[in-house]
Structure formats: C-alpha cells, structure tokens
Amino acid sequence: MDEKIFGLIGRKLGHSDSAIIHDKFGLKNYRLFEIEPDEIESFLNTPGLKGLNVTIPYKRDVIPFMDELSDEARSVGSVNTIVFKDGKKIGHNTDVYGLYYMAKRAGIDFDNKKVVIFGSGGASRAVIYAARKMGAREIVVVSRTGENNYENLHLHKDADILVNATPVGMYPNPEGSVVDPAYFEKAAGCMDLVYNPRLTDFLKLSKNAGKIAAGGLSMLVAQAKQAEEWFLDTEIDDGEIGRVLSEVARARTSIALVGMPGAGKTSIGRALSEISGLPVYDADAEIEKEAGMTIPEIMEKEGVPVFREREAQAVRRLSLLRGAIIALGGGAVLREDNRANLKRNCRVYQIARDVNLLPRDGRPLSKNLSEMEKERAPYYALARDVIVPNDGSIMDAAERIWRDFCENTRD
C-alpha cells in the first residue's frame, strides 16, 4: 500500500505542538518537515502527500501552487491547510475556525463591538475575517508604521476587544507585551494568538486588569481539529477539542516547587517524577554544573549577588521548559523576574514545612531560619498557586500536588 503522508511544513519547527495535537486527535503518522523557501514547489509534489498544515513563513508562499482555494483562504489571503485530492492541491484556512472557537470558549462576544488588532501580518488578516463574520462593528489594525500605530493609541481607548496578532511575547523571547491592556479601560476581552508560553505578559496584564484573557492554545487545537477533518474527509465531534486541549495543556505545563531551604522540594520533585513520568530538574544543581562550583563555593568566592544572578539565568532557562518538574532554591522567589518567568509555563507549588524541622548544615544562608521565613513569606505568597504542607510522607505530598495539577491544567 502506498504511504499516506500527513504533516506540517515550515522553516523552523523544533518547538511545534502540531504533531502532539494531531496524535491526540488520532492521526498517528503526522510528521514535521522543515524546508527552505526554494524547496516549497518540489516538496508539494512529493508522492503520497495527503494533507499538510502550513506555518510561518509559508502561509502565503504556497498559494501560487494551489489548484483551488476555499472561501476563507481566498478572503484571508493565507493557506494553513492543504488537502491533496483527485490530483489537486486544495488550500484551506482553518485559523478562522480556531478563532471562532477561541472566542466562544472564552465567552468573548464580537457582535457590535469595536475590535483593536495589534499586528498587520498573516495572523492579523485571519482575525479581521473572523471578527467581521462574528459581527464586529469596527475593526482597527494597529501596526508600527500604519495609519493606526502605537503613537496614537488614544484614538482607540474605547476598544471593546483587544487581540495580539504579533509575535511579541513568544518563545524563546517571552518578555514583554505589545501594550498594557489596562490602558483600554472599556475593553472586556483580550485574546493572544501566542500559545508558547502559556501565560504571556499580555495575558497576565489582562487578568490583572480584570479582563477576560484567552490564550492561543485553544485556537491551535481547534484549527487542528478542522484540518484533520479535511485530511481524512470525516467529521470529528466538537467535544474532542476540549479533551485534546486539556491533554495538551497538561502535557505542556511544568510544575515548579518553591519553598524554604530544606523544605523537601528536591525529594518531592523526585517522587513526582515517579508518579508522572515527567523529567525533574534541580535549579541549584544546574547552577553548580554551569559554575563548576558548589553553591557554598559560589557564595564564598563570588558573593551572594553574583549567585542570585546565576540563579536568575537558570530560572529563566528552566522556566522555558514544558512538561517538566523544576525544584527551585529557597530564595529564587525573591526576584520579581524569577516569579514572572515561573508563572509563564508553570503551576507553582510552595512546599511548607515547620521551620524547626529544616536542616541548616551546608546552607550558608540558613542560620536564622525563623527570621528568613518571615522575610520570605510575602514572596512565596506572590509566587505560588498552591501551598502544600510537607508534614507527612514525601509521597503523600507528591500525590497531592499531582492531583491538583491534573485538575487545574486544562487551559
């Protein structure tokens, strides 16, 4: 039997979630194909191709090679799904369907609303099309150099819905937001098409301002569902989107363990790894490996400020991981940038243990633990999602964390 080839084409796909998502929808032989611009035409003529998704930067580049375009693809001017059928290449755009689902799931109603879209690229065109179809009263596209730009945002303070269709805040440079949503006091709904990291700064600021905040993972999963329907010429129940979304969200979220020195973070992390199968990383071990010295040696030879800077670099690297367990040093939460980095892809658990039971040997900063605990308590409160007492067995604490994690990582 001839091979039926399904997959994703793009230039750099190392961190794509498409294969995982399609696998969970049931398409097991979905593959990733990194190709160069001059290889597009020849690749599209590969024998056995049945269905392809297309990602940046090729969503427009593939159009000249299509025999047919769907109404959405033609109107948006972008193809993200290609079906090979009866000797023809048929281009579709399933991002529009993904946007419908994303808005509906979040409870964001476009009808008779003013929508401000940040970014004027291909993703923006899909949002414009979807917003019109959902009944938006007015649509404004803000770009760096267009008529509506970041110097005249005051003209659009009356926006009802904000959509980030730029790559600002996207992995591997997650810092920053295209705007502060709080500036738009009337805006009730904010959507970010970025899905990695899970909590972008745009979404965090939206939540802080009391607005509905919807991340791009729901759009990604929904559009994949419609693409697979085209690939296989079948219907998939809409309820499957929620199931796959929950599974992917859980698989792509990490567990971060914070707490006082000696509270049991490393031991609980190992137990969690046994339960979940997730890899475990110890921030202090990563710092020692990088420095070629133990933590006490770093503090003695380089000083505490240099250690904290090394720690911040390690936290940033580890916080970009998805589907991992990360045990942090006791003082990692003291820095605001560390707390922000952890929140992006992690559910954060504070491990709490009676200060009188905490060890002191070999810990340069653990001489007056009672005073340290009082000083650090506000920072642990800012960092954590959940506090977990470590007053029983290590496995009990690990199982409690895993139950909570499974119940609260459904996107």
Side-chain angles (χ1 to χ4, degrees), residues 393-410:
S393 74
I394 292 295
M395 190 56 72
D396 285 345
E399 288 175 347
R400 178 174 175 177
I401 291 170
W402 184 242
R403 285 194 301 271
D404 176 89
F405 181 76
C406 291
E407 291 171 1
N408 290 282
T409 50
R410 298 174 181 174

Side-chain angles (χ1 to χ4, degrees), residues 85-105:
K85 186 176 182 180
D86 300 329
K88 294 182 178 180
K89 304 178 186 74
I90 306 169
H92 297 270
N93 188 296
T94 63
D95 285 336
V96 174
Y97 177 82
L99 283 158
Y100 293 157
Y101 181 87
M102 180 181 181
K104 182 179 179 180
R105 186 175 189 276

Side-chain angles (χ1 to χ4, degrees), residues 6-7 19 21-30 228 231-232:
F6 300 91
I21 292 169
H22 282 283
D23 177 79
K24 292 187 180 299
F25 274 121
L27 190 59
K28 301 299 183 182
N29 58 337
Y30 188 96
E228 194 155 317
F231 291 164
L232 303 178

Side-chain angles (χ1 to χ4, degrees), residues 40 44 58-69 73-74 76-79 82:
I40 294 174
L44 292 179
Y58 301 143
K59 290 186 178 185
R60 300 189 73 187
D61 294 346
V62 300
I63 292 178
F65 307 113
M66 297 297 101
D67 297 300
E68 296 178 13
L69 292 175
R74 185 178 297 105
V76 174
S78 173
V79 166
I82 304 172

Side-chain angles (χ1 to χ4, degrees), residues 300-320:
E300 181 181 351
K301 295 179 181 180
E302 299 181 341
V304 173
V306 173
F307 165 72
R308 291 299 180 205
E309 190 58 38
R310 286 185 177 275
E311 182 178 54
Q313 293 170 11
V315 170
R316 187 183 187 280
R317 288 195 304 272
L318 293 172
S319 67
L320 292 174

Side-chain angles (χ1 to χ4, degrees), residues 278-298:
L278 299 179
V280 60
Y281 298 85
D282 185 289
D284 282 353
E286 296 290 321
I287 296 166
E288 291 179 339
K289 181 179 178 181
E290 178 75 19
M293 294 182 280
T294 65
I295 300 298
E297 289 172 339
I298 295 171

Side-chain angles (χ1 to χ4, degrees), residues 295-356:
I295 300 298
E297 289 172 339
I298 295 171
M299 291 184 175
E300 181 181 351
K301 295 179 181 180
E302 299 181 341
V304 173
V306 173
F307 165 72
R308 291 299 180 205
E309 190 58 38
R310 286 185 177 275
E311 182 178 54
Q313 293 170 11
V315 170
R316 187 183 187 280
R317 288 195 304 272
L318 293 172
S319 67
L320 292 174
L321 297 173
R322 296 185 292 167
I325 299 163
I326 306 164
L328 283 301
V333 300
L334 298 176
R335 287 179 53 145
E336 183 179 2
D337 56 340
N338 287 346
R339 299 194 300 270
N341 281 327
L342 290 174
K343 287 287 191 178
R344 289 193 175 102
N345 272 330
C346 301
R347 187 162 175 80
V348 182
Y349 295 87
Q350 180 191 351
I351 308 302
R353 189 169 176 80
D354 187 327
V355 69
N356 295 312

